[in-house]
C-alpha cells in the first residue's frame, strides 16, 4: 500500500511538473512590474498597487525605428519585454522588431527557452527555419515574403536570414514576458568561463586548434 502511494505520488509530481507552453496565467487583471530591483520575486516581478497604475505602464513607443544592422551579423532585435514595458508582467507575452541588413543579414541559430515565437515579414524576404528535437532533427524551413507568417515552437533552434538585396523587417510575438535567448554559437563557444576544448573538440569532431580559434571569436569573458 505504501509502495502504491509512493508510486502514485511520484507520478503526480512528474505530471504536475511538466512545463506549461507559456507563462502561467495571471491571478488578477494585471500586475504592472513595480520595483525592478526588488529582492522579492513571485515567478515574475512584484506588482505595483493597481491604484497607482497609469496608462503609461502599458505603453511603449519606438518600434517604428529600425535597429542599426551595421554591426555583428547584420541583424538587430528590438525586444519589448517586461524590462521595457512593465505592464507585460505576468501576461505571458512580448513583442520584437527585427531588422536585417541586405545581402545576408542573419539572426543566427538560437533558442527562446520560455517562448513560442510567431513572426511576420513587413518588408523584404527572409529564409527562416527551425529544427526539431532528437532523434529526427528535422528542418522545417521556408522563404517568407511580405505578409507571410511563420511560427517557431518553444525551445527549438531557429534562425532568420535575409539573402535579398534590400533590407528586411519582421515583427514577432513571443509567448512570455521574458522569452530568454540562447544563441547556439555564443553559448557553446563563448561561455564564461570557457568549456574545456577537449569537450568541444570531441563533441564537434574538430581539432583543438579550430576549437580554440572558435572560442576566441565568440569569447565573452572580456
Ligand atoms: C541595435 O540598434 C540600436 C538602435 O540603432 C543600437 O543602439 C544598438 O546598438 C544596436 N544593437 C546592435 C547589437 O547592433
Amino acid at each position: 500500500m505504501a509502495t502504491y502511494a509512493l508510486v502514485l505520488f511520484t507520478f503526480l509530481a512528474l505530471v504536475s511538473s511538466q512545463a506549461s507552453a507559456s507563462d502561467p496565467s495571471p491571478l488578477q487583471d494585471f500586475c504592472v512590474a513595480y520595483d525592478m530591483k526588488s529582492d522579492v520575486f513571485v515567478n515574475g516581478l512584484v506588482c505595483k498597487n493597481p491604484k497607482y497604475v497609469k496608462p503609461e505602464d502599458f505603453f511603449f513607443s519606438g518600434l517604428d525605428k529600425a535597429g542599426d544592422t551595421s554591426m555583428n551579423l547584420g541583424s538587430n532585435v528590438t525586444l519589448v519585454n517586461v524590462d521595457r514595458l512593465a505592464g507585460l508582467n505576468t501576461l505571458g507575452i512580448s513583442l520584437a522588431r527585427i531588422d536585417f541588413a541586405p545581402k545576408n543579414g542573419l539572426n543566427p541559430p538560437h533558442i527562446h527557452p520560455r517562448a513560442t515565437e510567431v513572426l511576420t515579414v513587413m518588408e523584404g524576404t527572409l529564409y527562416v527555419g527551425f529544427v526539431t528535437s532528437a532523434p529526427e532533427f528535422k528542418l522545417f524551413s521556408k522563404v517568407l515574403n511580405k505578409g507571410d507568417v511563420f511560427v517557431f515552437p518553444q525551445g527549438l533552434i531557429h534562425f532568420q536570414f535575409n539573402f535579398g538585396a534590400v533590407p528586411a523587417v519582421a515583427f514577432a510575438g513571443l509567448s512570455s514576458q521574458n522569452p530568454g535567448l540562447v544563441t547556439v554559437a555564443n553559448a557553446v563557444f563563448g561561455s564564461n568561463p570557457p568549456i574545456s576544448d577537449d569537450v568541444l573538440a570531441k563533441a564537434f569532431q574538430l581539432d583543438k586548434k579550430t576549437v580554440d580559434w572558435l572560442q576566441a571569436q565568440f569569447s565573452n569573458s572580456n
Side-chain angles (χ1 to χ4, degrees), residues 138-159:
K138 183 169 178 177
L139 171 68
F140 289 88
S141 71
K142 193 92 180 149
V143 172
L144 305 182
N145 294 299
K146 188 171 176 172
D148 292 349
V149 177
F150 201 79
V151 62
F152 307 98
Q154 180 165 357
L156 300 185
I157 292 180
H158 61 284
F159 61 85

Side-chain angles (χ1 to χ4, degrees), residues 17 62 126 149 220:
S17 70
L126 290 175
V149 177
N220 197 27

Side-chain angles (χ1 to χ4, degrees), residues 56-87:
E56 287 67 34
D57 290 320
F58 302 100
F59 177 80
F60 175 91
S61 180
L63 272 198
D64 57 319
K65 290 180 188 68
D68 179 1
T69 58
S70 63
M71 310 227 284
N72 300 326
L73 302 177
S75 73
N76 190 315
V77 179
T78 310
L79 176 64
V80 185
N81 66 0
V82 71
D83 297 336
R84 305 184 78 184
L85 178 46

Side-chain angles (χ1 to χ4, degrees), residues 10-211:
T10 310
F11 173 74
L12 288 175
L14 282 171
V15 167
S16 62
S17 70
Q18 296 283 311
S20 53
S22 61
D23 291 354
S25 49
L27 305 177
Q28 58 280 306
D29 280 356
F30 51 75
C31 165
V32 172
Y34 176 51
D35 181 359
M36 297 299 198
K37 294 193 178 73
S38 172
D39 283 339
V40 181
F41 292 88
V42 286
N43 196 21
L45 297 159
V46 177
C47 310
K48 189 172 178 176
N49 185 334
K51 274 195 291 199
Y52 308 124
V53 168
K54 301 191 181 78
E56 287 67 34
D57 290 320
F58 302 100
F59 177 80
F60 175 91
S61 180
L63 272 198
D64 57 319
K65 290 180 188 68
D68 179 1
T69 58
S70 63
M71 310 227 284
N72 300 326
L73 302 177
S75 73
N76 190 315
V77 179
T78 310
L79 176 64
V80 185
N81 66 0
V82 71
D83 297 336
R84 305 184 78 184
L85 178 46
L88 288 176
N89 196 37
T90 77
L91 296 184
I93 197 164
S94 55
L95 179 66
R97 173 186 174 127
I98 316 170
D99 288 281
F100 298 86
K103 295 183 186 157
N104 304 346
L106 174 66
N107 190 9
H110 64 278
I111 294 163
H112 303 296
R114 292 176 290 278
T116 289
E117 172 175 347
V118 60
L119 174 141
T120 187
V121 175
M122 303 300 286
E123 301 290 341
T125 305
L126 290 175
Y127 165 59
V128 307
F130 69 85
V131 179
T132 66
S133 54
E136 290 83 6
F137 300 119
K138 183 169 178 177
L139 171 68
F140 289 88
S141 71
K142 193 92 180 149
V143 172
L144 305 182
N145 294 299
K146 188 171 176 172
D148 292 349
V149 177
F150 201 79
V151 62
F152 307 98
Q154 180 165 357
L156 300 185
I157 292 180
H158 61 284
F159 61 85
Q160 298 112 18
F161 184 62
N162 178 17
F163 59 85
V166 296
V169 184
F171 283 82
L174 296 116
S175 62
S176 171
Q177 67 180 38
N178 182 24
L181 173 66
V182 179
T183 310
V184 177
N186 300 69
V188 171
F189 293 105
S191 69
N192 183 18
I195 299 174
S196 154
D197 56 4
D198 289 316
V199 170
L200 296 181
K202 184 155 190 182
F204 288 87
Q205 300 176 35
L206 297 168
D207 58 64
K208 281 212 254 179
K209 254 196 168 142
T210 309
V211 169

